[in-house]
Amino acid sequence: MLDIAKIEWLKIRSYSAFWWVLGITAVAYPGLNGIILMIYHKAMGTMNLPEQKARLMMGDPFGFNEVWHTVGYFSSWFIFIPAILVIMLMTNEYSFRTHRQNIIDGWTRKQFLTGKLLDVGIVTLLIVVFYLLACVVIGLKNITVGERTSGSQVYFIAYFTLQTFSQLSIAFLISFLVRNTAISLTVFIVGFLVLEPILGRILKVGGTGIEHFLPFEISNRLIPPPGFWGHLDPASYQLSMNQAGNHAGYTIVFTTILWFFCFRLNSRRDL
Amino acid sequence: MTVLELKNIHKSFGDTKALKGVSFEIPAGSIFGILGPNGSGKTTLLGIMLDVLKADSGSFTWFDEPEGENPRKRIGTLLETPNFYHYLSATSNLEITRRISKRGAREDVEHVLRKVQLYERRKSRFSSYSLGMKQRLAIGAALLGTPSVLVLDEPTNGLDPEGIAEVRELIADLNEQGHTIIIASHLLDEVEKVCTHVAILKNGDLLSCGSVKEILADEDWVELSAKNLPALNAAMSQYPGLLHHRIEQTLVLAAFAKDAVDLEAVNEFCYRQGVKLTHMLLRKQRLEARFFELIQK
């Protein structure tokens, strides 16, 4: 496994496009959360209420405790940025035909795909690092002197990690099947932003709840909208928070099946 | 000892049958040519041998070893199109090959780069190389760690005459050192110069397989010529013991079983049939002629 990781690192380390997109991701995650924080502060300001009262209404989504949840939620909107990295790392192999060469040189098909699984894992970890940095910086900026902090929502770090890995795995699956960077990215973005929301609405009409199990939604439900939105519909908020744990299980099952499918297909198909 | 044993390999792409039950063995230490016209199944067969294509049925074994040992690490491969990471340098690309194949030490990368004359450009990106340089890098990758078997698919493609001669010399050198070399090629002249064994494919069928001597040795050819070529051709069709014959430009080529031809008897037979021969020559059969005979059957 370590040998495979070292070889993947050799492939990545001199790939300038990877570092450019990673740089954009590194700026985008804290930056976008920073913009949302500014909007939040502006909204607080327009309420014309004393801070304590405003906080009672809005909660403290960017203070320690809820920040893990809030930043995780908003960060998950931008999954398509690291998805570019995952898609590039797979479709490059097809473009250069190195997916064949690696096998010819002596890797088993399983080892090749393990390398790609590691790539998705590495990108996930990098995204989680950016998310943590954003959480810590935003949390520290919003800490109030004398305020009691709590770690009760720290578990959202694990949920965010799982959600990112699951959705990047979908990006991988698309690139694995489509084999072309531009088409893969289009399919991913259209699926994430257009197709799945439309399908979700259609399925919701039936009232069976099956829309909760669509590929992205299954992990989106790990991080429900943050607390201050919950004030608008507390019952629904509480329900989604309660269901997050179940969705962790569903996401693990879904992602495992996805990778099992990739390994199985790769072991049988022509390269 | 057998390096590779193929048993009844079948492969189809949709309705097209690319390989129809191909079986043969490649002896250790041989230079084995896989010949065939375009679409005969050469590249498909190589793909199956190297595990980039999956056979529909049949099996193959490298080095008489059980499955799972991953014998490809002992095989250097040079494909028609060199496959490398375009954004990486020659050194990084070879380092990836070395680590995957586990052939050779780190110093071997430098050694191989000198051998294929790319050392000065070792830090340049692969994408900046000319076709010849790319091919040389692929040769370098195939030679890394001196593998026991080399698989070459059209190895002289894209090379200038000097490069072709170098590759030919390299193949001979490696074979002398005991390496087995498998070459897929449509350049019959090239194959005849270097190969000890050949397999001839056509439309996915194995037409013939064995040592070059065996394949060429089963027939003797006689060149015949006369003023009236159609009459000579008609006369020869009556000749007892003739295997087959054809007109080729100003000659009638007649095939006899090995060592069965009596030139005096042929001359006398033609004379009796009213055809005076102007030319008669017993010639050594060339692989090219044998190849065309087989694929035209």
Side-chain angles (χ1 to χ4, degrees):
Chain A
M1 187 77 95
L2 188 63
D3 283 346
I4 297 173
K6 281 179 181 173
I7 292 167
E8 286 302 314
W9 170 241
L10 266 178
K11 293 180 189 175
I12 292 172
R13 74 173 184 190
S14 304
Y15 185 36
S16 54
F18 176 87
W19 297 110
W20 274 107
V21 179
L22 191 66
I24 291 167
T25 316
V27 174
Y29 272 64
L32 292 165
N33 279 292
I35 290 168
I36 290 159
L37 176 66
M38 277 165 54
I39 294 168
Y40 167 75
H41 279 307
K42 211 170 173 186
M44 290 276 279
T46 53
M47 290 176 97
N48 288 325
L49 289 169
E51 191 180 340
Q52 287 301 321
K53 270 194 170 176
R55 281 199 176 202
L56 272 173
M57 281 190 72
M58 295 282 285
D60 189 12
F62 293 99
F64 276 118
N65 192 28
E66 284 193 47
V67 71
W68 313 106
H69 179 183
T70 311
V71 171
Y73 177 76
F74 289 115
S75 298
S76 67
W77 289 2
F78 304 101
I79 190 70
F80 58 87
I81 305 175
I84 299 171
L85 290 173
V86 169
I87 288 170
M88 276 190 328
L89 290 176
M90 185 61 213
T91 51
N92 268 350
E93 303 277 3
Y94 290 129
S95 307
F96 306 145
R97 294 170 70 82
T98 40
H99 69 298
R100 291 163 62 98
Q101 192 61 46
N102 285 179
I103 303 301
I104 289 168
D105 286 339
W107 257 356
T108 60
R109 289 164 179 241
K110 198 174 164 188
Q111 283 174 315
F112 176 80
L113 217 56
T114 303
K116 296 297 130 196
L117 175 60
L118 286 173
D119 285 349
V120 176
I122 289 165
V123 174
T124 302
L125 287 180
L126 289 169
I127 298 311
V128 171
V129 169
F130 299 147
Y131 153 78
L132 288 176
L133 283 174
C135 286
V136 170
V137 171
I138 290 172
L140 285 174
K141 255 189 117 180
N142 282 275
I143 206 158
T144 315
V145 179
E147 185 186 23
R148 284 182 66 190
T149 58
S150 146
S152 63
Q153 290 199 6
V154 167
Y155 64 89
F156 275 105
I157 298 172
Y159 282 178
F160 180 77
T161 309
L162 184 58
Q163 183 193 45
T164 306
F165 181 73
S166 176
Q167 298 192 350
L168 290 181
S169 296
I170 297 172
F172 172 80
L173 174 68
I174 293 167
S175 63
F176 178 66
L177 297 175
V178 172
R179 299 180 174 221
N180 174 287
T181 312
I183 299 173
S184 300
L185 195 59
T186 307
V187 170
F188 183 84
I189 292 173
V190 170
F192 180 63
L193 295 176
V194 184
L195 281 182
E196 195 175 291
I198 291 172
L199 196 61
R201 296 258 171 198
I202 294 167
L203 292 173
K204 203 174 179 179
V205 177
T208 58
I210 198 163
E211 72 277 9
H212 300 170
F213 298 93
L214 290 170
F216 289 103
E217 187 62 15
I218 203 167
S219 54
N220 279 341
R221 289 193 157 255
L222 285 171
I223 309 179
F228 59 89
W229 278 347
H231 292 281
L232 303 173
D233 184 357
S236 162
Y237 173 73
Q238 202 48 52
L239 183 67
S240 59
M241 288 290 275
N242 293 343
Q243 284 178 342
N246 292 340
H247 273 269
Y250 302 147
T251 304
I252 290 169
V253 171
F254 169 76
T255 313
T256 307
I257 292 171
L258 184 152
W259 279 101
F260 178 76
F261 169 76
C262 291
F263 273 93
R264 189 144 176 96
L265 181 64
N266 198 52
S267 70
R268 290 167 175 225
R269 73 174 180 179
D270 291 337
L271 301 176
Chain B
M1 193 201 156
T2 303
V3 159
L4 172 67
E5 187 181 3
L6 295 154
K7 282 183 194 165
N8 204 22
I9 301 282
H10 285 265
K11 176 72 183 172
S12 297
F13 296 104
D15 293 336
T16 311
K17 290 189 172 172
L19 293 171
K20 303 168 194 165
V22 174
S23 303
F24 60 81
E25 291 180 5
I26 298 183
S30 63
I31 305 182
F32 196 98
I34 300 173
L35 300 178
N38 287 341
S40 59
K42 300 188 297 289
T43 304
T44 304
L45 191 60
L46 283 189
I48 289 170
M49 282 154 52
L50 297 168
D51 197 35
V52 291
L53 296 177
K54 289 288 180 190
D56 298 336
S57 62
S59 62
F60 64 94
T61 319
W62 283 101
F63 308 110
D64 294 324
E65 277 181 10
E67 280 180 40
E69 289 274 317
N70 203 0
R72 289 190 309 283
K73 289 183 195 284
R74 292 162 63 185
I75 304 165
T77 309
L78 171 62
L79 296 179
E80 202 173 348
T81 322
N83 302 325
F84 290 106
Y85 295 93
H86 291 204
Y87 54 87
L88 292 180
S89 65
T91 308
S92 297
N93 270 305
L94 288 189
E95 184 58 21
I96 288 173
T97 305
R98 187 186 74 80
R99 289 191 186 207
I100 290 177
S101 65
K102 295 195 166 99
R103 291 195 321 257
R106 190 168 253 182
E107 310 78 71
D108 290 341
V109 169
E110 199 173 292
H111 172 72
V112 155
L113 283 169
R114 286 186 198 278
K115 195 169 184 175
V116 295
Q117 295 161 16
L118 284 173
Y119 186 76
E120 301 304 317
R121 293 286 307 274
R122 67 191 184 282
K123 288 180 182 168
S124 304
R125 284 165 176 242
F126 176 76
S127 57
S128 69
Y129 285 4
S130 68
L131 182 61
M133 289 165 80
K134 287 174 180 175
Q135 196 73 359
R136 292 215 302 274
L137 182 64
I139 293 172
L143 294 177
L144 205 59
T146 48
S148 48
V149 176
L150 264 182
V151 177
L152 312 173
D153 187 10
E154 305 288 358
T156 52
N157 261 14
L159 295 179
D160 55 19
E162 200 184 341
I164 292 171
E166 278 173 17
V167 168
R168 197 186 299 148
E169 204 175 306
L170 186 73
I171 290 169
D173 282 353
L174 287 165
N175 187 240
E176 262 178 36
Q177 291 164 30
H179 301 281
T180 306
I181 295 157
I182 303 167
I183 304 174
S185 179
H186 65 275
L187 299 174
L188 300 166
D189 189 42
E190 221 30 68
V191 169
E192 191 175 358
K193 276 177 187 153
V194 296
C195 288
T196 58
H197 294 71
V198 288
I200 299 175
L201 294 173
K202 185 194 173 187
N203 294 335
D205 284 312
L206 180 69
L207 299 183
S208 185
C209 181
S211 74
V212 173
K213 277 183 190 165
E214 279 166 14
I215 284 183
L216 299 182
D218 59 349
E219 287 179 2
D220 278 335
W221 282 83
V222 179
E223 287 179 9
L224 301 165
S225 189
K227 277 184 184 169
N228 188 346
L229 208 59
L232 172 62
N233 195 41
M236 285 310 292
S237 61
Q238 309 292 318
Y239 192 86
L242 183 76
L243 296 176
H244 48 92
H245 69 294
R246 66 170 186 269
I247 294 179
E248 199 174 284
Q249 293 173 341
T250 59
L251 298 170
V252 169
L253 296 177
F256 296 86
K258 179 74 181 164
D259 299 329
V261 63
D262 178 345
L263 293 179
E264 274 183 34
V266 173
N267 192 16
E268 199 180 323
F269 175 82
C270 291
Y271 185 76
R272 276 205 222 115
Q273 299 289 319
V275 180
K276 283 184 185 172
L277 294 178
T278 55
H279 169 84
M280 182 163 65
L281 177 72
L282 178 65
R283 79 175 189 193
K284 184 183 174 294
Q285 192 184 9
R286 296 199 57 220
L287 185 60
E288 188 173 354
R290 182 71 180 130
F291 174 78
F292 285 116
E293 257 174 62
L294 283 167
I295 64 164
Q296 279 163 14
K297 267 183 190 171

